[in-house]
Amino acid sequence: MTEQVSMQDQIKETVTNNGVVLFMKGNANFPQCGFSGRAVQILNSLGAEFVTVDVLSNDEVRQGIKEYSNWPTIPQLYIKGEFVGGSDIMTEMYESGELKTALDT
């Protein structure tokens, strides 16, 4: 229980101390799934500066981020501490221009 609280605290610290955070499988240079790769491509195309967290390197992070957001899938994008969504939502927001607006404000 204490360990789980600690992981939630670590995740909260990560998403609040970095402007844009992408929890993904792999890293920005070597995504380990197509959805994570698409998320990286979208952020790169918008010129966003972002931090990635590889959930495959730590099972506690992988499970912890799903509980933190109450969202079952990876990748997960956070902007200014707020959960935005996964790859499909990022794609929709990218196509509508909402994602660029969220990144710029």
Side-chain angles (χ1 to χ4, degrees):
M1 187 71 176
T2 302
E3 189 172 305
Q4 188 62 34
V5 171
S6 176
M7 178 53 62
Q8 295 297 304
D9 289 343
Q10 289 177 37
I11 290 170
K12 183 176 183 178
E13 184 177 320
T14 300
V15 301
T16 55
N17 290 343
N18 297 284
V20 181
V21 182
L22 182 65
F23 288 83
M24 62 180 288
K25 295 178 180 175
N27 60 52
N29 293 324
F30 193 61
Q32 297 288 306
C33 80
F35 297 108
S36 292
R38 182 167 42 163
V40 167
Q41 285 179 335
I42 288 171
L43 291 173
N44 283 337
S45 74
L46 294 172
E49 292 185 24
F50 60 98
V51 173
T52 62
V53 177
D54 180 6
V55 301
L56 296 178
S57 66
N58 187 327
D59 282 341
E60 289 180 52
V61 173
R62 185 176 187 172
Q63 187 57 39
I65 191 62
K66 292 176 183 178
E67 293 171 6
Y68 183 82
S69 63
N70 198 25
W71 189 261
T73 59
I74 304 294
Q76 295 186 14
L77 177 67
Y78 290 80
I79 299 176
K80 298 176 184 75
E82 297 292 326
F83 176 58
V84 174
S87 179
D88 290 343
I89 292 173
M90 286 179 66
T91 300
E92 291 173 15
M93 290 180 70
Y94 172 71
E95 291 173 351
S96 72
E98 288 178 72
L99 188 57
K100 181 168 179 36
T101 301
L103 290 167
D104 290 345
T105 57

